[in-house]
Amino acid sequence: MTDLPIWAAIVVGLLLIAGGTFALIGAIGLLRLDDFYRRLHAPSLSASGATTCIVLASIIGFSVMNGRPVLREILVGFFIMCTAPVTLMLLGRVALYRDRAADRPVVAESDPLGASPDQE
Amino acid sequence: MKRIIPHPILTLVLLVMWLILTQFTLGQAILGTAVALVAARALAALEPQTIRIRRWSPIPGLFYTFVVDILWSNVKVGRAIMSRTTPPSGLIEVELDTRDRNILAIISVVIAAAPGTAWLGWNPGNQTLLLHLLDIEEGEIWEETLKKSYLGRLKEIFG
Amino acid sequence: MSAVILTVSLYIAEGMLAAAIFCVGIRAWRGPRAQDRVLALDTINVNVMLLFVTLGIRTGTVFFFEAALVIAVVGFVTTVALAKFLMRGEVIE
């Protein structure tokens, strides 16, 4: 990885630092925000912003180094893009359901979950 | 055609994935095609509904809007977290006039990838989507975006 | 020159990811509710996976990519199982 041309090294370095910044901001958000529903927004910063930047950096670095397109890392990005909605959606519904079960003040006036929480 | 390849898009994606994970050689291409065909038949046995794309032309525009929205939302939420006072949050309900599972799946990817929005629930009865927004001021913007630039184009694509 | 740029930016990115994992770890430890912990564990998973991708760039081998893919798959299944448990566990109570 040390024999990259200088432009590729700069691009890869900037993308890496941008990805790290996104991940760190997301983590700070998870620590700082005061309510679960607000905290639910912070992880998608590392799932979308940071993953995109770091995966792009890896693709560019390996492709320039090998002299041919290396697209392995795109699978990681694709996988995260497909699974992040499922986990975040499930956690949002869990929070709504548990708040309702514990008789906490529920944030929603209407009932979006329908009759049972597992109904599709 | 339909009998041999039940899910053409899935077969193609699986073949490309196989080639990326191994090597781009003829032998791997043949083996990957065989695996993809078997996997597609297995899925066809489980799930009868196949994806039918009516029009391909809105896809590049949709992808462009998606990338721009995600970047914009990432930067916006990053700023909101690092600023001293975070904006007030709230819930909005968006009425999406569709029952198509594929459209809803793609909209859920958009909502999860955009950090400013979180999917809380989908009510199939009155077809409304409950969203939590980090900045409630952006509620109308998001409602407009979801309805016009996503739902409209997705309906064109899937028919 | 390009080696210096790459090494420094790799160090910065890895440091930031490590700091992010630390912050999320505090949230997982503090809670206060179970869904906070599950959300924090899921975020740790994503960040560890990103750390592995950067390690792969540093060493230039395929090994870390495969590890990252396995972490992503296992982490997804774990989070879904925990979320399902949080929903189902209280129905019985």
Side-chain angles (χ1 to χ4, degrees):
Chain A
M1 261 294 155
T2 49
D3 47 355
L4 285 179
I6 192 119
W7 63 269
I10 290 174
V11 171
V12 171
L14 284 179
L15 280 172
L16 280 172
I17 293 172
T21 316
F22 274 132
L24 189 56
I25 291 175
I28 291 171
L30 195 64
L31 199 56
R32 253 197 73 190
L33 296 174
D34 47 2
D35 172 54
F36 177 77
Y37 296 100
R38 277 151 75 82
R39 284 198 281 270
L40 201 54
H41 297 285
S44 41
L45 215 59
S46 57
S48 74
T51 309
T52 315
C53 290
I54 290 177
V55 162
L56 264 182
S58 174
I59 289 174
I60 292 173
F62 277 106
S63 300
V64 172
M65 193 178 67
N66 294 344
R68 62 183 176 86
V70 177
L71 297 174
R72 275 184 280 121
E73 271 73 13
I74 227 170
L75 288 181
V76 172
F78 182 73
F79 189 78
I80 293 293
M81 270 289 168
C82 290
T83 57
V86 181
T87 53
L88 291 178
M89 229 153 112
L90 266 177
L91 283 171
R93 282 170 62 168
V94 162
L96 213 57
Y97 175 71
R98 280 170 62 101
D99 277 353
R100 197 167 287 146
D103 268 342
R104 290 190 162 216
V106 175
V107 277
E109 299 112 39
S110 73
D111 195 339
L113 301 179
S116 93
D118 262 354
Q119 188 186 21
E120 283 311 325
Chain B
M1 181 69 189
K2 189 100 193 185
R3 300 268 301 267
I4 306 167
I5 310 175
H7 291 268
I9 299 171
L10 177 83
T11 314
L12 197 68
V13 169
L14 279 176
L15 174 62
V16 169
M17 201 180 96
W18 183 275
L19 289 176
I20 287 173
L21 277 174
T22 56
Q23 281 168 325
F24 284 87
T25 56
L26 185 64
Q28 294 291 358
I30 294 168
L31 187 58
T33 313
V35 171
L37 283 175
V38 171
R41 298 206 86 153
L43 185 73
L46 288 173
E47 173 100 31
Q49 189 192 21
T50 52
I51 300 175
R52 282 178 62 196
I53 294 180
R54 298 267 162 87
R55 288 182 59 198
W56 292 84
S57 55
I59 293 179
L62 185 71
F63 189 72
Y64 174 74
T65 325
F66 174 67
V67 171
V68 170
D69 279 352
I70 299 307
L71 270 178
W72 177 76
S73 180
N74 264 296
V75 172
K76 206 110 194 232
V77 171
R79 271 209 199 141
I81 287 173
M82 297 313 281
S83 66
R84 199 166 288 271
T85 52
T86 45
S89 310
L91 295 153
I92 58 164
E93 282 187 334
V94 183
E95 203 172 315
L96 294 177
D97 178 29
T98 181
R99 281 177 187 282
D100 193 318
R101 284 200 217 159
N102 302 317
I103 293 178
L104 285 174
I106 291 175
I107 285 179
S108 79
V109 170
V110 174
I111 285 166
T117 53
W119 176 303
L120 288 188
W122 161 255
N123 189 344
N126 51 7
Q127 299 174 355
T128 47
L129 185 64
L130 185 72
L131 293 179
H132 186 266
L133 294 183
L134 187 63
D135 188 355
I136 192 66
E137 304 266 293
E138 289 170 8
E140 281 168 20
I141 305 174
W142 273 111
E143 191 171 352
E144 187 111 328
T145 323
L146 281 178
K147 273 186 182 163
K148 287 226 171 98
S149 50
Y150 289 101
L151 186 65
R153 283 186 199 164
L154 284 168
K155 272 187 172 170
E156 264 182 59
I157 292 171
F158 290 109
Chain C
M1 186 58 193
S2 66
V4 177
I5 295 173
L6 210 57
T7 314
V8 170
S9 51
L10 274 170
Y11 271 126
I12 295 174
E14 283 166 10
M16 278 172 159
L17 283 171
I21 293 171
F22 180 73
C23 290
V24 180
I26 294 176
R27 172 53 72 196
W29 183 50
R30 252 203 235 154
R33 304 196 69 205
Q35 56 262 41
D36 287 294
R37 294 179 213 268
V38 176
L39 184 65
L41 286 177
D42 185 54
T43 315
I44 287 180
N45 246 314
V46 173
N47 283 339
V48 168
M49 191 211 71
L50 293 177
L51 196 57
F52 269 52
V53 176
T54 58
L55 285 176
I57 299 177
R58 178 191 291 284
T59 52
T61 54
V62 195
F63 170 74
F64 283 108
F65 160 72
E66 282 165 5
L69 209 55
V70 170
I71 289 178
V73 174
V74 174
F76 169 62
V77 175
T78 313
T79 312
V80 170
L82 283 172
K84 271 282 166 201
F85 172 72
L86 287 185
M87 243 182 191
R88 283 283 163 208
E90 287 201 344
V91 177
I92 300 163
E93 271 178 18

